[in-house]
Amino acid sequence: MIIDLTGEVVPCCYWSGYGNFGKPLGNTNVSSLDEIWHGEAYVDLRTKVASEQLEGHPCGNCLAYRSTGVFPGFSWPVAYEHESGFCYLGKLPESFATAIKGSKSPVELLEDGKPLPLPDALHEDIRKIGQGRFSIWNGWLYFSSSDNVDPIFSGRKYELACDQARVTISGVVADSASGRNLKTAHCEYEAGEAEVVAEPSMISLISTADCNIDCPACSQNVVRVTKVQHRPETVPSVLSKVPYLTQFIWHGGEPYLIKKFRSFIDEFDPAENPNLAFGFTSNGTMITQDEALKLEKFPRLNASISIDSFNPAVFEQIRTGAKFERVWENFKRLHATYDAPTRIFSVGMVVCKSNMAELADNVRFAIENDVGLNLSPVVIYPVVEQLNVFSDFSRQTKGWRRAIVRAKELVAAAKSRKRLAMARVDPEGMLEEIERIFTSAKADYSDTISITCEIDDPYHSVQNMRRPAIVAYTGGKARAYVELEQGSSEGLLRLPRRYLHDERMVRLDFLHDVMEPGSNISSGSFRIERKTSLNVNYRVPKFATVKRPPRNISWANYGDSTPDGHHITDPVEIFEIYRELYWREVENVAIATAGYQRRSVGLMKQLVRYVRR
């Protein structure tokens, strides 16, 4: 169960992302976790998956399947998985692989302290015969138990030994709440049960938007300002499930700002769940040495630290309020304890207009410092940072092609030299996706329609706006934008023609702050005929400066629900709340939501009336 701050619950990250179309399976602001888990939508999902009736179903459009040709299998909290026959396969623990590098001594595999007698076996013999055969090959362990019993639930202890190096290959601790739950879940999974007894074994929670730094392009800025929160009972309900989980991922905002998050780390007892893999994403500003030490007690850990540039100046521009030196030192302290598969630390880096030109430099830095680097291209929000929407494509993408090519060359060379960073995270596929986005955008903006927006600003409203802009939409997606400077009398939109072949309707939104979706003070739609250019005359209404706390920390409730928080059932409500908030904030203006809507409709008509072919 992946639980968003909006309360929406989905079964995996591919369900409604990456071009997929899945609808939420429930909402925690309406129903309890148990009601959702055992509800009609989850039952239907299990039925469809078990029967493989996936035509027109979100699982039929699974990104994991499209990428590999194989659906994800059942997930076990162990360092190995069933390969086929009697064979089990696992990556050598990184610390062990490093310790035995160059050693001429044989590697032993011990089962409950006794060496298995058949090393260097053929993999096909391990699969078909088993009986303790094993092989170390290319950084992987292929093995079978001595009597071909499934080692995952056998309770036996397996260890690798070579010279003085020794490491445990952990299985499931069956005598625990999570172990018993997992066994039940697997039986129900194998039987294709739609209505299940087992509790969820994996939960990912976004519990708050609270944050201690002020990234201007953060997608949660509007959510934070509008005080979108979980119901008070949601987070305690999630925490009550932790004893049954094999994976628990806790996101913010900044999770270390959340009181319940810090208490969870302080109070977690590994004896209560010895199978748990705990994960989180943090901006890294608050993970002191003391906090880092507390993380050592978790059976398994997988944390991502957000560092959007290894160039201090660019980092501090993108992540306003954070200091690169402090974050990097905090990350290095964690990274020094890296030991896959039980302790994994990586860097999550958004790739946007602000750092795209230095892509190769960031890849090089990661390789040189053995850092696993996950690259996430910005393609949804905000338009000023998206890699697929531009105001001036040629100017804004200067140096991008060279950066992509060089980054791919660096990765190829690092893989050929078997650099550690590549074993930790291989960014090749991510770079190919970034290249695809760039290539597609280049084709889009090679043929555009020019829309000249002539600005009439009788009240000098533009100078009172933070970052005014006009954004053009087709099909509900931003396709072009222009930021307006003080005193400017016009702005030029370059709209890709390809998005007009199915529908000729274009919507223009005038935003008083391009960094805040929903900040449009008017919208207007019109039809474009077969023209190479057209003009739009726009009269800017009277606008008052919004008085609002300037820093995110001013809005923080440290993860707690508050009486004035909003528990929503549809993300569209966020923008409705934002618009009402804006009009309430405007100096000397008291206007309710209905009044705003009437005013907005009037402005829409006004804009359409002034379109000139």
Side-chain angles (χ1 to χ4, degrees), residues 287-304:
I287 309 179
T288 62
Q289 185 171 358
D290 287 344
E291 293 296 336
L293 288 171
K294 295 175 185 177
L295 297 172
E296 294 182 1
K297 64 183 175 182
F298 285 93
R300 294 183 296 153
L301 192 68
N302 192 331
S304 176

Side-chain angles (χ1 to χ4, degrees), residues 76 153 178-188:
W76 298 100
F153 264 105
S178 57
R180 290 186 289 272
N181 183 63
L182 193 65
K183 191 168 186 177
T184 301
H186 185 248
C187 290
E188 293 176 332

